[in-house]
Every structure is written in structure tokens, then in C-alpha cells.
Amino acid sequence: MIQAGIFGVTGYTGYELVRILAKHPDVQVQFATSQSFAGKWLTDVYPQAPHLPLIDEANAPLETVDVVFLCLPHAAAAATAVRALNAGCKVIDLSADFRLHDPAVYAQWYGQEHPAPELLETAVYGLTEWARERLPGADLVAVPGCYPTSVLLGLRPLLAANIPLTGPIIADSKSGVSGAGRQASDTTHFMNVADNFAPYKIGRAHRHLPEMEQVMKWWKADAPPLIFSPHLLPVPRGILSTIYVTIAGDWALGDVAALYTEMYAGEPFVCVLPPGQAPTLAHVTHTNNCVIGVTQAGQTLIITSAIDNLIKGAAGQAVQDMNVMFRLDETTGLR
Amino acid sequence: MIQAGIFGVTGYTGYELVRILAKHPDVQVQFATSQSFAGKWLTDVYPQAPHLPLIDEANAPLETVDVVFLCLPHAAAAATAVRALNAGCKVIDLSADFRLHDPAVYAQWYGQEHPAPELLETAVYGLTEWARERLPGADLVAVPGCYPTSVLLGLRPLLAANIPLTGPIIADSKSGVSGAGRQASDTTHFMNVADNFAPYKIGRAHRHLPEMEQVMKWWKADAPPLIFSPHLLPVPRGILSTIYVTIAGDWALGDVAALYTEMYAGEPFVCVLPPGQAPTLAHVTHTNNCVIGVTQAGQTLIITSAIDNLIKGAAGQAVQDMNVMFRLDETTGLR
Amino acid sequence: MIQAGIFGVTGYTGYELVRILAKHPDVQVQFATSQSFAGKWLTDVYPQAPHLPLIDEANAPLETVDVVFLCLPHAAAAATAVRALNAGCKVIDLSADFRLHDPAVYAQWYGQEHPAPELLETAVYGLTEWARERLPGADLVAVPGCYPTSVLLGLRPLLAANIPLTGPIIADSKSGVSGAGRQASDTTHFMNVADNFAPYKIGRAHRHLPEMEQVMKWWKADAPPLIFSPHLLPVPRGILSTIYVTIAGDWALGDVAALYTEMYAGEPFVCVLPPGQAPTLAHVTHTNNCVIGVTQAGQTLIITSAIDNLIKGAAGQAVQDMNVMFRLDETTGLR
Amino acid sequence: MIQAGIFGVTGYTGYELVRILAKHPDVQVQFATSQSFAGKWLTDVYPQAPHLPLIDEANAPLETVDVVFLCLPHAAAAATAVRALNAGCKVIDLSADFRLHDPAVYAQWYGQEHPAPELLETAVYGLTEWARERLPGADLVAVPGCYPTSVLLGLRPLLAANIPLTGPIIADSKSGVSGAGRQASDTTHFMNVADNFAPYKIGRAHRHLPEMEQVMKWWKADAPPLIFSPHLLPVPRGILSTIYVTIAGDWALGDVAALYTEMYAGEPFVCVLPPGQAPTLAHVTHTNNCVIGVTQAGQTLIITSAIDNLIKGAAGQAVQDMNVMFRLDETTGLR
């Protein structure tokens, strides 16, 4: 039985995580922290939650656990990661702190020096389908961002293949409101979300852009630049990315689709639709699945990729990573 | 006082039109037809509607009106248009029948021969901001489709300028459910729309594609091909198009933005946001406005264009066209 | 031309008011205040708003206006009312400050002494359909609460008639989110509202209860006590109250329905449906109308009453009151 | 291992049922029928469904199963029940056919003679918390309606106690759209549901009324009549009933609340909140739980009762019944 601790359980990601872990046959949650609600119960915050006491982060008994999940704001996560690693815990970080490997890029996009740059190189970028070989020995895993998970899974077969691409890659992404977090704000007020639809930080302005470009270059050194346009959907959860890639030379949809079906043939959580079909959010919400469609429009390949932002885009993938780290069946607790 | 008749008043477009005309100081609605509800009252269908009797199309007293609005399915609209023109009425057609000028293209996309190909050349494509000079003498006006209105208004300053463009133009559009029509179907069932988001007919598969490419070529003979990806939003109304155009050579956002502010400077219903800002549906729903934002991402210009699909994308623009046709102030009844 | 000022224009009630007044042919808005946004423009807060500068309340030029509308929190409203009355303005207060005529009841429900108890007796309770005779000479009008407007208009014909009632009257009311105000909070977070439905302060716990019982006793000295159960609906706007009244002795639905149709026969903004029919929110949203249905269930009369909480339940009724105060046609600017 | 068949799997109730059974450790689904989609796969209808072939009802291999679940329209269900019972299967009927024990009442409310009146007396009304003793030997179980489940669980402790009640009992219920079924119609069109809220069949007009009154009389021979007002909520799922009961004589909330906590103390799926608190839909959606609150308002007790209409109100309770019938742990597959 794996003993686990959760930092920041009262955010949406933490809550989703504790729900998954509560049903996981090989994990026992030893503690759950919350700065805002320490001293209360998780059921005070979420009526359907497991009945766990919420403790202050400072009192977390790190010595009782094998692994900690960090559902904390960036920078705070890195500090806790250091503490947990020093205590001998494995760390699965759902924040952005260990996704970017270049501290200068981190500083540029997150507005501060990285709190623990010495850890960046050792952190495994936990896009499970790609990181499967690197996870078993890892001490520190950075769970990918929600948008990057949807876009990168959609791009990987294409970037892994030796296909010449031209022009920028465009990812037009749409996300549900849980991606904006639990904090009440004008952005998340029902009156501003309902009956509305809003682009934000479009182009090259969102923090997930450098994360995606970093990984794209790992996969294809000459990958084109990315244009990334997030939009806020009036739904609680789910991300659908519509991705446009222009392929040089002549190509046939069947050949490109074959790259997808082959790469993802054995994947338990990635489903490729028949060519020409596209997923909807209803294909994936409340699951750890990523459903992908490929369509042709002239020289341009259109990839549609849907995930649940809180599960495959956060807590579910974190557990998937943990399963691989601890050499469990990868799907345990996720179906 | 202009005497008007409405064909097909019980669809969403017809209903929106009759609401606008009911407040228009220079128009009197003489009759309103409905095949499904003939013999009933409009208030039986829409509780907030004007209290009009619904008559069968065959009984429409064409001799009593100056202009008819056709909110009919395609093909049916063309047949009624012929009848109305023969009776001496002006015709404002909100269907797709007179938007495409090439009958072969019509046949290809609408699956039948055009019912009145001899009228195609004389029909004015009623994108008001562009058609203003052609409308005063026109007898037959084709109101543009909802998606084309949002995309074409977003593209026009760029295509009108002599700027070299490369690669396809990509319009990633998102529409509210009223665009799918009043007919109950799986597509419009609340259970399939709420909490969901769905791409459909993406790439080069939607009937609005040839309409947009036709107009793009009018404006720029060597316009790049269009990729058009519509998506269904869980909201009642509104369209937001995120449009990606790659400009060859070096360019500055300020210069391109100036093309937009200059072209639309005097427009009563088009608003250009400061560079870098983007509209939301909340900027435009329940208005005849089109709000446009321009943003730069490397070589790519991102244009965001928002309209209310039922007003500027249909009934509002139809009235705007009528105002120009009859030499009224263009904004009458629309503010 | 009536010169008007608005205090607290950036709340939902203030915004709805300024939209109505902007189209009112006999009113000119001289100033609009906002504590949170003073120095900005109203369009910075609401993209579709009239382009008005927002000033600090302390700088409001009371000497330039005939009437002020107070869209302020309770207690703050009373203080501003005193100031405005002293400056010779008429005051239309949309807060709760002058609805209750007994300062002890006010203190009990609002947790503080009334700031201006000497004004309570002179304030006219502005349920327009009832207050029509009292409004023309009034200097201070208290616009009824949103829930009370829906419930009281539903009860008035019954309470005005000499019909014996037994047991409590039960008002089971459901309101859209705008009733909870513009302030971001857990209550209004999209994630807590969407896909949810929540009773709150049910029974005899909501501040609108004493307001309703006060008026009910004005109309029928021995009116039964009220049980009032508000619920939060996942919609932006609208209130529907389902009201249960047990009538002693035998009675026929037709007779009771006649009380309603007779009392409201000439009312421009109250519509009584045929017996057995019930309104929905779609009957009333974005209008100043109250639509009422009456149904029989054994001895119990079920009254359904629907309004738009921001219009007939607040800003629209405020303007309706103003029209009567200033001897304009009551419907001016409201259709 | 229990072998099960599902009739009518493509309705919302059938779909929810197959999802539960797919995770049930002691059940194997042998077949699933659909008249509309026979020959296709369940995943063609619901992308997240188990991958089951859909067969025509006539071809259902009854000899291979121990139990059948009927998710069919009324009348059709009774005919299939006869066939299945004759084949030696146990029958769990989710339609209305075996809920009412008086065939005359059935004929009055369902507009036709009962197809199998001889079975009415032997059918067990499967409100599990009440029927637990009757289920183990039963061959035919009628799963209660969704509204009745929410109302009856809310009333049972009160009706079981010897407390004098006066006046009618009022159940003001609000349901999500899935209760209206999978068939596309004006009622379920997104445009008519979103931003709306609608009473329907209020008073004594809905078919669930006689079902509830029948059971109320089983529990308390002199139970007062019921007034039942259903309303349609713009949410996919969930029912919240606000129930008003007037108790004769003096009483204290603590005493009444104790009736609830005592009766439901050991129940795995019924949760009673502390006195004065009320559940929301978020307490229960996607669970088999019923959460109940009790509040006092003068002489009137207000009971709030929330369930998921598709789970505790249909498929979940059906499985709960099955578990008891087959002497499994009652919670198997339901947590």
C-alpha cells in the first residue's frame, strides 16, 4: 500500500485527486493540507468529498508517506517539493514549477527566479504516454499543464514522424471554467461566464506556450513555432483543442491517420477516431481519456484533441504517473 | 411607411426579425407566414412576440407590401422570391439561395439545381458595410450567412489592402445553438449541448465555406484558400470567430490595426478594439454590432470577430440592408 | 426633460437602470457614481453600456438633477437619501432602507438602527400597480424587493378580496444569479451555480419576509403568515414564485381567476394567463412584465408569478414609479 | 455471477443502468435491446458507453439471464415483463407499469387498460429503504418514479410516526432535463431550456401524484392529500423537492429532526443534514444518495430532499433493489 499526502487539496485539482485516490486500491491518503480551511473537514468544502481532516501545510507528517502530490500555486510548490524530497518522499507536482527546464524561461514567464533551479534537470515531464520509460526511477515528476496535455498528445505522432512542416502550428483551445481555479473572481462569476465565450491571452501570451514549445522541440528539433489561443467556455470542465498544422508536399489523410493509430494503438487512455471524425467534450469529461480526431483541409491537417482538464489534464495524469513510478498497472484507479 | 411581409416568421431568424420590425418607426408588418403554425398566433409560439396572426404562405397578400423578407429554407426561398419579384415586391432573402453567384457551386453544395439561376447575377450580396452603394436600387438582396458575416467583416480591411498573404486563412468559429434552427433534434437537445462543446464539419465541409471564398476573391483575386472550422457552443446566441492570417514579410501590429480603424471609422455597427484586445460574446449579443480585435503572434495576425448570429448575422443585417435600400438612416430600428 | 442621477451604477441594478434611462425620451442622466470604479468609464465595466464617466459619490452634483436613483447597499442608501432630499431632489431608492415602516423591524432584520427613521412614514412603497395614487406627490419612494414584487403581485387580487384563507401562505421562489449581486463570491462562482440548484434561507429567514408580511397586512389585516423559500437557479436573471394559498370553504377556479383578470385588466405590465396555465421565465426576461397563472389543487390555489428580477423587480419598476411621480405615461421607456 | 439483460438501453435510464452494471462485480450484462438502434453499438449512441451490441427486443435471449431490467415506455414494459416472467426471469421494471396497485387508477392516469393487472398485487414497490424485507423473494419489482423517490424518502419518517398533520402536503419539485427523456422535442430543445425555468402539470395533474398518494396511505392511512408541482430546471440531472407539511399542535424541530436521524441512521444511501440546513443538487448528482434537510417555519415543517433522478431516482435504485433481491451487499456497485 502506497502512503500518500496531498498538499492543497481544496483546489479543484486537489479535490479531483483525492476523489481518485479514495478509490485507488493501492493508495492510502495519510494527510491532506489546505491553507484556507485548515482545521475543517474536506466535506465542509465539497459535500461529496471523502471525510478527511484538513491540516496546515506546516504540520504535514512527511515521514508517514511515500509520495506527495502538490496541488499548490507555483513557487509555493517548489519550496514544498524541496522539503518533501529532503524528507525522502517522491514528489508529483501538479503546479508549473518543474515543467520548464530552463530557469531563464521560467523567470521570464512566471515573473520570479526559480526557487529550486537545481532540480529542473532531474524532474521528469510526466506526459505519461511519452514519459513511461523515465518514470519508474523518478523522484520528482512535473505533471503537464492541462492545455499542453491536450495539444501535445494531439501533436506527438506528427512531430515524432519525419514529416516536413511549414508555417506556425496553431492551437485554438477552449477550456471549461474549472481551469480558472476555485478562487472567486470576476472571471469566474456566473454572470460573466454563462451565455458568454471569451478568448484570452491569445497568440503568444499564455504561460503554457513555452511549456509546449519546449516539448515540441524535444520531439522535433526544427518544430515550427506555436500560436496558442485559449478561450473560456461556459462549461464546468473539459478542454477541446483544434490544432492546425500545415504539411509540406503531398500527403494523404489515411497515411497521417495511420501515424496516430499506430502510435496510440496500445494506449489505455488515448483513443483515435476514424479519419474525418472529431471528438466533443462529452467524449471525455469525467474520464482520464484523450480522444483525438484527424481531418484534412487542403495541405492543412486539423487535429482535434479533447480531455477532461481536471483528470487527464491534472489529477488523473498525476495518478497515471504515480502508477508507473510505483510499477503498478498504469490504469489502476483510473477506470 | 414601408409595408413589409415576412415569410417563415416562426423560425428564430423570423422571430428576431419581427421583433426588430415591430419597433421600426418606418415599417409596418402586413403579414407573417408560417407553414407549421398557420392559423395560430405568433404569441402561441413565442410568448414575448408581437400578437400577429400566422397565415399560410399561399395566402400571402403580396400586393399589399413593398418588401418581403424570406426566412425560409433554401430552395423554398428562391421559389417565393420569384413569386414576390413578379408581384413587384423587393425581396430580402435570409436563406442561402442568392448568396452564391455560380449555379454550379450552388448545385455542388446544396445538392440540387438552383431554382432561379437567372436571378443570381442581379442579387446583391448584402454585407451592408461592403454593399452600401449597390443596395439603393436593388430588387433582390441576399443577406450573408451568420458565419460569413463574422469572418468577412474580420477579413475585409486586410483583403482590401495590398498585403501579401501566405498559406491558408484559418477561421476557427464558435456559434450558439440558435444557429442550428428551431427544429428539435439530437443536435439541439439540451442534454447534448449543455456542458459540451462540439466541432462539426470542420475544414472544408461547411456550406458557408464557398460563400466566404467567393467574397474573399471579389476583394482580393489571389486570396488564399480558407479553412473554416465551426464549433457548437452551449449558449443560445452569438458567434465568435478566431481568424489566423499569415502575412508575408515584416509588418507591425500598429500598421495592420490602422487598416481596421480606418476602414471602420465611420461604421455605426462595427467596432474595432485597441490592438491586443479581443471581444467576447457579451460585447455583442442582442445587438447589431460586430466587434473586432487584432493581435499579433509572430508573422501571424489573429483577428477575433464577434456578432450576434441572429441580429448582425441575420435579421439585423436584413433590416440594415432594407434601410439602405429604402434610403432611410441605416441605423433606424437597430439601436 | 427630467434630469437624473444614479448612485451605484456599476451593480447589476444600476447597470440595468442606466440602460433603460438611456432610451427614455424624457430623462437625461446627469451623473452616475461608483465607489469601486470612480474615474473610469461605465464601458470599462460593461462593454455594452452607455459611455458615461463614473464619479465618486462625494462629488455628485445634486444641484443639477431632479431625481436620484439609489442603487446602493442598505444603510448607505439612507444616508445618501437624506443628503439628496436636503438638496431638493426626489429620491427613488432601490435598496431595502425605506421598505419597512417599523424601525424596530428594520433593526431586527438588518442588524443596525435605521439611519433615518423619521423618513419611514413618508416613504411610498413603490409597487406601482398598488401605489399609483400615492406616487405623484412623493419625494421618497422605496422600490420593492425583487422577490416581494413577484409574490405580492401574485397575492394582491386574493388579499384585496374578502375571501377567508386558512393556514400559512407558502411562496416557493426561484431566482437567477443576478439577484446575488455583482460581487464575486463562492455563491456566484460558475462552478457552484452551473448544473446546481440550491435552497437558501428558507422558511422565515430571508429579509424579504417581513417586507412581504407588512404589505400583506396592509391589504388584509388578518392575512395568514407567510412561509418564504428562496432558491438559486442556474440562470442569469428572472424570478418565478410558486405560491400556495388555502382558501376556506368551497370555491371555483373561474371565480378566483376572475379576481385576477378584473384587477389587472388595465395594467400595462401585468398579464394574467388563462386558468390552469403557468408562466415560465421566458415569458418575462428582459421585460418589465409580470405574468401570472392561477391553478386549483383541491382547496389550494396555486399562483405562479414570473418577473425579470432586474427590471420589474428593480430598475424597471423604479422607472415605472418615476414615470408616475412625474406624471408621464407610465409605460414610457419601458417597452 | 448474476446474468442480466437490459431492455431499452438507449434511453437515459438504460444508459445510466448499463454504466452501473458494467462496474458491478457480481453482474454480467448478457444483452441490451434498443428498438431505435438495433444492429448498432451502444458506443454509436453514447461515446463513453460500454461497447455493447444493440439487439432487437424480439431477439432477446431470455433463457440466458437471471434478471431483466425494463427501461421501456409504460405498457410496453408490462408486456415484456409477462414474457420475461414466463421465461423464468426476475423482472426489475423501471417504467410506471407496476407502481400503482389499483388497475382503475392506472387506467385513469395512463389512458389505457393495464396490460397485466393480475401482476399488480405481487409487484413489490421497490423504494429500497422501505421494501428491504419484501425484496429478497420477489420476482417482479417496480422501481419508484424519480419524483416519488425524492418526495417519499422525505416524508417517510414523518408519516411513519404518529403525528397529526393538517392541510395538504405540498411538494414543490424541481427536476433536471434528463427526466424528460432522450426524445428530441420542443420541451428539451436547448433554446427552450437554457436561461429558463418552467412549472408544468402543477397541482394534481402529474402521473406521479397517484403513485405518491398510494404509498403515503400505506404509511399513514389518514395522510393528507398531496399537492405536487413539478418544474423543469436548466440542468442535465438532479431533483430537489421542497416539501411543506403542517403539523398540528406544538412541536419542536429537534424532535422532528430526531425522527429523521433515527429512521435513516443505518441507511447507506440516505443522509440527513443537521436541522436548518438544506441540500443542493451538488450534494447528490452522480451518486445514489438522497440528502435530506429539515427546517421549521412556524407550524410548518419544510423538508428538502435531493437525489440524482437517473441514479437514486431510477437506475441506481434498480440496482440497489437487485442487490437486495439477490442477497448481495446492498451497496455493491453503487459507490
Side-chain angles (χ1 to χ4, degrees):
Chain A
M1 187 69 72
I2 300 166
Q3 303 299 327
I6 304 174
F7 285 83
V9 74
T10 49
Y12 292 134
T13 298
Y15 173 50
E16 200 71 36
L17 180 65
V18 79
R19 284 164 62 98
I20 294 171
L21 293 181
K23 297 186 179 176
H24 195 295
D26 301 316
V27 175
Q28 196 161 8
V29 175
Q30 280 290 344
F31 66 82
T33 82
S34 167
Q35 294 313 87
S36 313
F37 298 96
K40 298 193 173 178
W41 294 85
L42 187 54
T43 40
D44 295 333
V45 186
Y46 296 103
Q48 291 196 18
H51 194 55
L52 285 176
L54 301 172
I55 65 170
D56 189 280
E57 182 178 332
N59 303 327
L62 288 170
E63 68 284 2
T64 66
V65 298
D66 305 303
V67 62
V68 295
F69 293 87
L70 310 185
C71 306
L72 299 171
H74 64 85
T80 302
V82 170
R83 205 177 125 217
L85 288 168
N86 288 342
C89 307
K90 287 177 184 289
V91 172
I92 298 176
D93 178 23
L94 290 89
S95 88
D97 274 349
F98 298 101
R99 295 176 189 158
L100 295 170
H101 283 199
D102 182 341
V105 176
Y106 181 91
Q108 174 192 345
W109 285 90
Y110 289 90
Q112 58 186 111
E113 293 304 303
H114 195 283
E118 68 283 3
L119 294 175
L120 291 179
E121 277 307 313
T122 64
V124 172
Y125 187 78
L127 187 72
T128 327
E129 285 73 15
W130 168 75
R132 202 170 277 132
E133 306 303 315
R134 296 166 189 77
L135 287 167
D139 287 321
L140 173 57
V141 173
V143 180
C146 50
Y147 285 122
T149 298
S150 79
V151 173
L152 292 172
L153 286 176
L155 286 176
R156 196 177 164 228
L158 202 65
L159 296 185
N162 190 17
I163 295 181
L165 309 177
T166 67
I169 291 175
I170 294 169
D172 192 284
S173 295
K174 303 87 177 175
S175 172
V177 180
S178 54
R182 200 184 164 283
Q183 191 63 39
S185 70
D186 281 0
T187 303
T188 60
H189 195 302
F190 182 83
M191 296 293 290
N192 294 331
V193 175
D195 297 345
N196 199 3
F197 177 68
Y200 66 100
K201 295 188 182 165
I202 59 176
R204 294 185 57 83
H206 191 283
R207 285 167 169 173
H208 284 171
L209 180 85
E211 179 183 339
M212 290 188 271
E213 289 197 330
Q214 166 187 276
V215 178
M216 288 163 65
K217 292 226 177 297
W218 291 346
W219 294 345
K220 185 182 181 76
D222 63 345
L226 181 67
I227 292 173
F228 170 55
S229 297
H231 301 71
L232 188 66
L233 279 172
V235 305
R237 56 203 293 161
I239 287 178
L240 191 135
S241 294
T242 313
I243 310 168
Y244 302 87
V245 187
T246 301
I247 301 179
D250 285 338
W251 56 280
L253 180 58
D255 295 337
V256 172
L259 298 175
Y260 282 77
T261 50
E262 282 161 24
M263 174 165 276
Y264 291 135
E267 286 297 339
F269 295 117
V270 183
C271 170
V272 179
L273 298 176
Q277 293 188 15
T280 70
L281 290 190
H283 284 73
V284 297
T285 42
H286 297 282
T287 79
N288 194 52
N289 297 331
C290 177
V291 180
I292 295 174
V294 289
T295 300
Q296 184 170 12
Q299 287 295 109
T300 300
L301 177 72
I302 308 179
I303 306 151
T304 41
S305 173
I307 61 167
D308 185 307
N309 57 307
L310 294 178
I311 305 184
K312 182 59 180 170
Q317 185 155 249
V319 173
Q320 193 181 352
D321 286 343
M322 183 204 72
N323 287 341
V324 180
M325 289 167 78
F326 287 86
R327 298 181 167 82
L328 303 175
D329 180 298
E330 189 173 321
T331 67
T332 312
L334 291 170
R335 281 205 161 135
Chain B
M1 187 68 74
I2 301 166
Q3 303 300 328
I6 303 174
F7 285 83
V9 74
T10 49
Y12 292 134
T13 298
Y15 174 50
E16 199 71 35
L17 179 65
V18 79
R19 284 165 62 99
I20 294 170
L21 293 181
K23 297 186 181 178
H24 195 295
D26 302 317
V27 175
Q28 198 161 6
V29 175
Q30 281 290 344
F31 67 81
T33 81
S34 166
Q35 295 311 88
S36 313
F37 298 96
K40 299 193 173 179
W41 295 84
L42 187 53
T43 41
D44 295 333
V45 187
Y46 296 103
Q48 291 196 15
H51 195 56
L52 285 175
L54 301 172
I55 65 169
D56 189 281
E57 181 177 332
N59 302 328
L62 287 170
E63 68 283 2
T64 65
V65 298
D66 305 303
V67 61
V68 295
F69 293 88
L70 310 185
C71 307
L72 298 170
H74 64 86
T80 303
V82 171
R83 209 178 120 217
L85 289 167
N86 288 343
C89 307
K90 288 177 183 288
V91 172
I92 299 176
D93 178 23
L94 290 89
S95 88
D97 274 350
F98 299 102
R99 295 175 190 158
L100 294 170
H101 283 197
D102 181 341
V105 176
Y106 180 92
Q108 174 190 347
W109 285 89
Y110 289 90
Q112 59 187 109
E113 293 304 304
H114 194 283
E118 68 284 2
L119 293 175
L120 291 179
E121 277 308 314
T122 63
V124 172
Y125 187 78
L127 187 73
T128 328
E129 287 71 17
W130 168 74
R132 202 170 277 131
E133 307 303 315
R134 297 164 188 79
L135 287 167
D139 287 322
L140 173 58
V141 172
V143 180
C146 50
Y147 285 123
T149 297
S150 79
V151 172
L152 293 172
L153 286 176
L155 286 176
R156 195 178 164 227
L158 202 65
L159 296 184
N162 190 17
I163 295 181
L165 308 178
T166 67
I169 291 176
I170 294 168
D172 192 284
S173 295
K174 302 87 177 175
S175 172
V177 179
S178 54
R182 200 183 164 283
Q183 190 64 40
S185 70
D186 281 359
T187 303
T188 59
H189 194 301
F190 181 84
M191 295 293 290
N192 294 331
V193 175
D195 299 345
N196 200 2
F197 178 69
Y200 67 100
K201 295 188 184 164
I202 59 176
R204 293 185 59 81
H206 191 284
R207 286 166 168 173
H208 284 171
L209 180 85
E211 177 182 340
M212 291 188 270
E213 289 196 331
Q214 166 188 275
V215 178
M216 288 164 64
K217 293 227 176 296
W218 291 345
W219 294 344
K220 184 181 182 77
D222 63 345
L226 181 67
I227 292 172
F228 169 56
S229 297
H231 301 71
L232 187 66
L233 278 173
V235 304
R237 56 204 293 161
I239 287 178
L240 190 135
S241 294
T242 312
I243 310 169
Y244 302 87
V245 187
T246 301
I247 302 179
D250 285 338
W251 57 281
L253 180 58
D255 295 338
V256 172
L259 298 175
Y260 281 76
T261 51
E262 281 160 25
M263 175 165 276
Y264 291 135
E267 286 297 339
F269 295 117
V270 183
C271 168
V272 179
L273 297 176
Q277 293 187 15
T280 71
L281 290 189
H283 285 73
V284 297
T285 42
H286 297 282
T287 78
N288 195 51
N289 297 331
C290 177
V291 179
I292 295 174
V294 289
T295 300
Q296 184 170 13
Q299 287 294 108
T300 301
L301 177 71
I302 308 178
I303 306 151
T304 41
S305 172
I307 61 168
D308 185 308
N309 58 306
L310 294 177
I311 305 183
K312 182 59 179 169
Q317 185 155 250
V319 173
Q320 193 181 352
D321 286 344
M322 183 205 73
N323 286 341
V324 180
M325 289 166 77
F326 286 86
R327 298 182 168 81
L328 304 175
D329 179 299
E330 188 173 322
T331 66
T332 313
L334 291 171
R335 280 200 161 139
Chain C
M1 187 68 73
I2 300 166
Q3 304 299 329
I6 304 174
F7 285 84
V9 74
T10 49
Y12 293 134
T13 299
Y15 173 50
E16 199 71 35
L17 180 65
V18 79
R19 284 164 62 98
I20 295 171
L21 293 181
K23 297 186 181 177
H24 195 295
D26 301 316
V27 175
Q28 197 162 6
V29 175
Q30 281 290 344
F31 66 82
T33 82
S34 166
Q35 295 311 87
S36 313
F37 298 95
K40 299 194 172 178
W41 294 84
L42 187 52
T43 39
D44 294 334
V45 186
Y46 296 104
Q48 291 196 16
H51 195 56
L52 284 176
L54 301 172
I55 64 169
D56 188 281
E57 181 177 332
N59 302 329
L62 288 170
E63 68 283 1
T64 65
V65 297
D66 305 302
V67 60
V68 295
F69 293 88
L70 310 184
C71 306
L72 299 170
H74 64 86
T80 303
V82 171
R83 207 177 123 217
L85 289 167
N86 288 343
C89 307
K90 288 178 182 288
V91 172
I92 299 177
D93 178 24
L94 290 89
S95 88
D97 274 350
F98 298 101
R99 296 175 190 158
L100 295 170
H101 283 198
D102 182 340
V105 176
Y106 181 91
Q108 176 191 345
W109 285 89
Y110 289 90
Q112 59 187 109
E113 292 305 302
H114 195 283
E118 69 282 3
L119 294 175
L120 291 179
E121 278 307 314
T122 63
V124 173
Y125 186 79
L127 188 72
T128 327
E129 286 72 17
W130 169 75
R132 202 169 278 131
E133 307 303 315
R134 296 164 188 80
L135 287 167
D139 288 323
L140 173 58
V141 173
V143 180
C146 50
Y147 285 122
T149 297
S150 79
V151 172
L152 292 172
L153 286 175
L155 286 176
R156 195 177 164 229
L158 201 65
L159 296 184
N162 189 17
I163 295 182
L165 309 177
T166 68
I169 291 176
I170 293 168
D172 192 285
S173 296
K174 300 87 176 173
S175 172
V177 180
S178 54
R182 200 184 165 283
Q183 191 63 39
S185 70
D186 280 0
T187 303
T188 59
H189 194 300
F190 182 83
M191 295 294 290
N192 294 331
V193 175
D195 297 345
N196 200 2
F197 177 67
Y200 67 99
K201 295 187 184 165
I202 59 177
R204 294 186 57 82
H206 191 281
R207 286 167 168 173
H208 285 170
L209 179 85
E211 178 182 339
M212 290 188 270
E213 289 196 331
Q214 166 188 275
V215 178
M216 289 164 64
K217 293 226 177 295
W218 291 345
W219 293 344
K220 185 181 182 76
D222 64 344
L226 181 67
I227 292 172
F228 170 55
S229 297
H231 302 70
L232 187 66
L233 279 172
V235 304
R237 56 204 293 161
I239 286 178
L240 191 135
S241 294
T242 313
I243 310 168
Y244 302 88
V245 188
T246 301
I247 301 178
D250 286 337
W251 58 281
L253 180 58
D255 296 338
V256 172
L259 297 175
Y260 282 76
T261 50
E262 281 160 25
M263 174 164 276
Y264 291 135
E267 286 298 339
F269 295 117
V270 184
C271 168
V272 180
L273 298 176
Q277 294 186 14
T280 70
L281 291 189
H283 284 74
V284 297
T285 41
H286 297 283
T287 79
N288 195 50
N289 296 332
C290 177
V291 179
I292 294 174
V294 290
T295 302
Q296 184 170 13
Q299 286 295 109
T300 300
L301 178 71
I302 308 178
I303 306 151
T304 40
S305 173
I307 61 167
D308 185 307
N309 58 307
L310 294 177
I311 305 184
K312 183 59 180 170
Q317 186 155 246
V319 172
Q320 194 181 352
D321 286 343
M322 183 204 72
N323 287 341
V324 181
M325 288 166 78
F326 287 85
R327 297 181 169 82
L328 305 175
D329 181 298
E330 188 173 321
T331 66
T332 313
L334 291 170
R335 281 201 162 140
Chain D
M1 187 69 72
I2 300 166
Q3 303 300 328
I6 304 173
F7 285 83
V9 73
T10 49
Y12 293 134
T13 297
Y15 173 50
E16 199 71 36
L17 180 65
V18 79
R19 284 164 61 97
I20 295 171
L21 292 180
K23 297 185 180 178
H24 195 295
D26 301 317
V27 175
Q28 197 161 8
V29 175
Q30 282 289 343
F31 66 81
T33 81
S34 167
Q35 295 313 87
S36 314
F37 298 96
K40 299 193 173 178
W41 294 85
L42 187 53
T43 40
D44 294 333
V45 187
Y46 296 104
Q48 291 196 16
H51 194 56
L52 286 175
L54 301 171
I55 65 169
D56 189 280
E57 182 177 333
N59 302 329
L62 288 170
E63 68 284 2
T64 65
V65 298
D66 305 302
V67 62
V68 295
F69 293 87
L70 311 184
C71 307
L72 298 170
H74 63 87
T80 303
V82 170
R83 206 178 125 218
L85 289 167
N86 288 343
C89 306
K90 288 177 183 288
V91 172
I92 299 176
D93 178 23
L94 291 88
S95 88
D97 274 350
F98 298 102
R99 295 176 189 159
L100 295 169
H101 284 198
D102 182 341
V105 177
Y106 180 92
Q108 176 191 344
W109 285 90
Y110 289 90
Q112 59 187 109
E113 291 305 303
H114 195 283
E118 68 284 2
L119 293 174
L120 291 179
E121 277 307 313
T122 63
V124 173
Y125 187 78
L127 187 72
T128 327
E129 286 73 17
W130 168 76
R132 202 170 277 132
E133 307 303 315
R134 297 166 189 77
L135 288 167
D139 287 323
L140 173 57
V141 172
V143 181
C146 50
Y147 285 123
T149 297
S150 79
V151 173
L152 292 172
L153 286 175
L155 286 175
R156 196 177 164 227
L158 202 66
L159 296 184
N162 191 17
I163 296 181
L165 309 178
T166 67
I169 291 176
I170 294 168
D172 192 285
S173 295
K174 302 87 177 175
S175 172
V177 180
S178 54
R182 198 183 165 284
Q183 191 63 39
S185 70
D186 281 359
T187 304
T188 59
H189 195 301
F190 182 83
M191 296 294 290
N192 294 330
V193 175
D195 297 344
N196 200 2
F197 178 68
Y200 66 100
K201 295 188 183 165
I202 59 176
R204 293 185 58 81
H206 191 283
R207 285 168 170 173
H208 285 170
L209 180 85
E211 179 182 339
M212 290 187 270
E213 289 196 329
Q214 166 188 276
V215 178
M216 289 164 65
K217 292 224 178 298
W218 291 345
W219 294 344
K220 185 181 181 77
D222 63 345
L226 181 67
I227 292 173
F228 170 55
S229 298
H231 301 72
L232 188 66
L233 279 172
V235 304
R237 56 203 294 161
I239 287 178
L240 191 135
S241 294
T242 312
I243 310 168
Y244 303 87
V245 187
T246 301
I247 302 178
D250 286 337
W251 57 281
L253 180 58
D255 295 339
V256 172
L259 298 175
Y260 282 76
T261 50
E262 281 160 23
M263 174 164 277
Y264 291 134
E267 286 298 339
F269 295 117
V270 183
C271 168
V272 180
L273 297 177
Q277 294 187 14
T280 70
L281 290 190
H283 284 74
V284 298
T285 41
H286 297 283
T287 78
N288 194 50
N289 297 331
C290 177
V291 180
I292 294 174
V294 290
T295 301
Q296 184 169 13
Q299 286 296 108
T300 300
L301 179 71
I302 309 178
I303 305 151
T304 40
S305 173
I307 61 167
D308 185 307
N309 58 306
L310 294 177
I311 305 184
K312 182 59 180 171
Q317 185 155 247
V319 173
Q320 193 181 353
D321 286 344
M322 182 204 73
N323 286 341
V324 180
M325 288 167 78
F326 286 85
R327 298 182 169 82
L328 303 175
D329 180 299
E330 189 174 323
T331 66
T332 312
L334 292 169
R335 281 202 161 139

